[in-house]
Amino acid sequence: MAADRTGPVIRTPHGAVRGRYERGVAVFRGIPYAAPPFGPRRFRPPEPPAPWDGVRDTTAFGPTAPKTPYSEAFAQYLSDPEIAGDDCLNLNVWTPEPARGARLPVLVWLHGGALTRGSSAVPVYDGSPFARDGVVFVSVNYRLGVEGYGLFPDAPPNPGLHDQLTALRWVHETIAGFGGDPDRITLCGQSAGAISTGALLAAPQTRGLIRRAVLQSGPPESSDRDRVRRMVRRMATRLKIPATAEAFATVDRGLLLRTQAEAGRLSSPVLGGPAFGIVVDGDLVPRDPLKALVEDGAAPGVDLLMGWTRDEYRLWLVPGALIERVDRLGPVALAGAMARCHAGHDVPRGYRALHPDAGAAEIVGQMVTDHLLRLPLHRLADARPGTSYLYEFAWPSALPDLGACHALELGFVFDTGHVPESRKLAGEGAPQELGDAMHAAWVRFAATGDPGWQAWDSSHPVRILGEGRPYTAHGPRDAELALWSAVPEPAGAAEFRAPGAELAAAVRRLRRSVGARRH
């Protein structure tokens, strides 16, 4: 159906939807792309939604997936709205021209949150600035936690990833009616959303659906199946039920979420511990996504934009004053980092030599960030025959101790630094010119495949954003990354094992010491 000025109406595969105009942009919120994943559909792959007659109003965000709230320490920095309802497999579209024939570039956004939190309703993720600048923007809700990533003997794995694939297919089939070009879809995500993007990029089922991809603060990876099983078994033990999907489906949702939060309280990237993650399943994830992309040539012809923040780890350690606690642990913390990354003594010694004034927390944080994030992205860029662009976000938050931490860049990417939820992490006085630069780079990449700086080559060019005017540095942090030359390549961040009993004991001590303050 053609759009009109009283409220644009578009036909989707399951029925017509009516949005509304906001500041010259057509917005559709809460469009179902799959049926509610509860009742007989719980822990199962997504199914099509029931078609509807007439025109469905889509002017408000749909329900968010069941999730645990952030702890008080993290909630002061991060916002995560909760909208009740079962119909949580929904998406939102912002478009400047809701009509066939516009053929505008499309960005599909997968939110972060460790696969246990987050939603498309976070105000920082407002798609209006992208639509204002000529991009059709789509944000997706998907199942989280045990509902989306629990591993059971009686249910298929990765239902949350299948949700994302279903949404991507919906976009490919439907977005032309909203003014988008189905041949110019850029899949993008941050943190767990970037990990999901990497997994979908490597999946055989997405061939032809993705033209470009953005991975921000998350590498392609799979989780160790035993690590995910441990999480499910811990929950089952606390609930006094079998570790099966059938048994979990009988548990009250609120109780399930509270149990999940308790079982996963030591699941930070620094500490490791049991956690939910994408697992190799022989189908959608036939092998580890990084290996598929690096060794098997998956996703040929897909351009990549990949970035990280200079101080990723500070969001994991600053809340609850954990930096000071890790600094006091000193050698125990460094031994824990060695075990977490399966590294020998030469690696922390090298970091200490390069940064003699750094405390233990900074050394630990940079070690883990480099090994689990920067190094895989470098390896991916080195191995890809296609075009890759890398960048580092370096602007430090105005709030104490956060530095250029994980997730700080999002208000700049979305050009939503003015919203209160962005200021919770950035503080006051965030430079608009940095938001202009980052947002424009993502827009250019979606439209043309070129964000505006030198593509990756043997000189390792990385765009630095946040240190005055943007500039390109060749080989920043190469000295740190070279320290890992003798360390096995990561086959999924969760698969590292402590090289000895002494280091394993250090990890346990570190988790106990830090875990006592996390919540």
Side-chain angles (χ1 to χ4, degrees):
M1 297 182 183
D4 64 51
R5 286 292 158 183
T6 62
V9 176
I10 305 294
R11 182 164 296 280
T12 79
H14 309 109
V17 296
R18 185 189 303 276
R20 68 182 178 195
Y21 284 98
E22 300 175 4
R23 299 184 300 278
V25 169
V27 185
F28 303 79
R29 295 183 175 93
I31 304 174
Y33 66 84
F38 301 107
R41 303 185 194 94
R42 203 167 181 191
F43 303 109
R44 300 290 165 181
E47 298 179 8
W52 58 88
D53 297 324
V55 179
R56 181 177 185 134
D57 180 79
T58 55
T59 57
F61 285 115
T64 54
K67 56 189 173 180
T68 57
Y70 283 113
S71 67
E72 184 177 347
F74 281 88
Q76 65 179 311
Y77 300 113
L78 301 172
S79 297
D80 195 10
E82 184 175 349
I83 302 172
D86 287 351
D87 209 356
C88 61
L89 299 186
N90 58 71
L91 52 77
N92 318 293
V93 181
W94 286 260
T95 175
E97 192 173 347
R100 288 187 178 275
R103 307 291 290 185
L104 298 170
V106 181
L107 270 174
V108 178
W109 171 252
L110 303 178
H111 67 80
L115 299 178
T116 57
R117 297 181 176 93
S119 79
S120 63
V122 174
V124 179
Y125 306 155
D126 181 9
S128 298
F130 280 106
R132 175 199 67 201
D133 294 330
V135 175
V136 177
F137 185 85
V138 182
S139 57
V140 178
N141 282 341
Y142 55 92
R143 277 174 283 183
L144 302 170
V146 71
E147 301 277 0
Y149 297 92
L151 191 55
F152 300 101
D154 56 338
N158 300 320
L161 191 66
H162 280 272
D163 295 343
Q164 296 168 356
L165 173 62
T166 299
L168 182 60
R169 284 173 169 162
W170 185 98
V171 172
H172 193 265
E173 295 169 2
T174 311
I175 205 63
F178 292 85
D181 184 348
D183 295 324
R184 281 199 294 167
I185 293 174
T186 298
L187 184 64
C188 55
Q190 183 263 352
S191 194
I195 293 170
S196 301
T197 296
L200 290 173
L201 197 62
Q205 292 90 333
T206 65
R207 183 71 66 92
L209 300 181
I210 304 169
R211 178 64 187 87
R212 302 182 179 100
V214 185
L215 282 72
Q216 167 64 47
S217 297
E221 67 174 27
S222 60
S223 289
D224 178 61
R225 294 175 70 94
D226 286 342
R227 187 186 187 203
V228 180
R229 284 196 188 98
R230 286 200 303 276
M231 183 70 170
V232 172
R233 288 169 183 161
R234 284 189 179 191
M235 292 181 64
T237 298
R238 285 171 166 80
L239 293 166
K240 297 181 172 57
I241 59 172
T244 64
E246 181 181 16
F248 271 61
T250 67
V251 179
D252 172 77
R253 265 188 244 170
L255 176 59
L256 201 61
L257 289 173
R258 292 191 296 273
T259 305
Q260 176 182 299
E262 177 61 25
R265 68 187 186 89
L266 297 180
S267 299
S268 89
V270 172
L271 299 176
F276 294 113
I278 297 164
V279 298
V280 173
D281 58 17
D283 176 27
L284 186 54
V285 190
R287 70 175 305 200
D288 178 75
L290 183 61
K291 288 186 175 180
L293 291 165
V294 168
E295 299 174 8
D296 299 346
V302 175
D303 301 324
L304 299 180
L305 176 62
M306 300 182 285
W308 55 80
T309 71
R310 178 164 295 177
D311 307 309
E312 297 272 3
Y313 69 95
R314 287 187 171 268
L315 186 63
W316 309 327
L317 292 182
V318 167
L322 299 184
I323 280 189
E324 293 85 349
R325 197 168 183 84
V326 172
D327 277 339
R328 287 197 298 270
L329 288 168
V332 172
L334 291 172
M338 290 166 57
R340 176 78 178 96
C341 300
H342 202 179
H345 290 277
D346 288 344
V347 173
R349 285 183 190 138
Y351 277 81
R352 177 64 71 197
L354 289 167
H355 305 283
D357 298 327
E362 183 176 349
I363 298 293
V364 167
Q366 292 291 9
M367 277 181 61
V368 173
T369 300
D370 284 346
H371 196 45
L372 301 186
L373 176 58
R374 293 189 187 96
L375 191 58
L377 294 182
H378 273 235
R379 287 171 172 158
L380 179 56
D382 281 336
R384 296 285 294 171
T387 306
S388 298
Y389 300 87
L390 273 66
Y391 66 89
E392 177 174 282
F393 177 84
W395 183 80
S397 170
L399 298 178
D401 300 322
L402 285 177
C405 69
H406 191 71
L408 176 61
E409 80 289 350
L410 293 175
F412 298 88
V413 166
F414 280 82
D415 194 15
T416 53
H418 59 282
V419 304
E421 291 78 8
S422 288
R423 293 199 297 272
K424 286 177 68 174
L425 200 54
E428 300 296 332
Q432 180 59 47
E433 59 271 21
L434 177 56
D436 294 342
M438 286 205 72
H439 179 73
W442 280 49
V443 169
R444 282 195 300 266
F445 182 73
T448 69
D450 182 351
W453 60 84
Q454 182 182 348
W456 185 261
D457 59 22
S458 59
S459 69
H460 290 186
V462 176
R463 193 70 163 175
I464 308 299
L465 297 155
E467 288 187 338
R469 291 177 60 85
Y471 67 96
T472 299
H474 292 269
R477 302 196 63 82
D478 275 1
E480 287 92 336
L481 297 181
L483 296 169
W484 300 98
S485 58
V487 177
E489 292 189 12
E495 295 183 5
F496 298 118
R497 295 289 182 269
E502 180 180 350
L503 291 187
V507 171
R508 289 194 294 271
R509 288 175 60 194
L510 178 62
R511 287 175 180 165
R512 283 196 300 269
S513 298
V514 176
R517 290 283 299 276
R518 282 202 63 186
H519 292 269

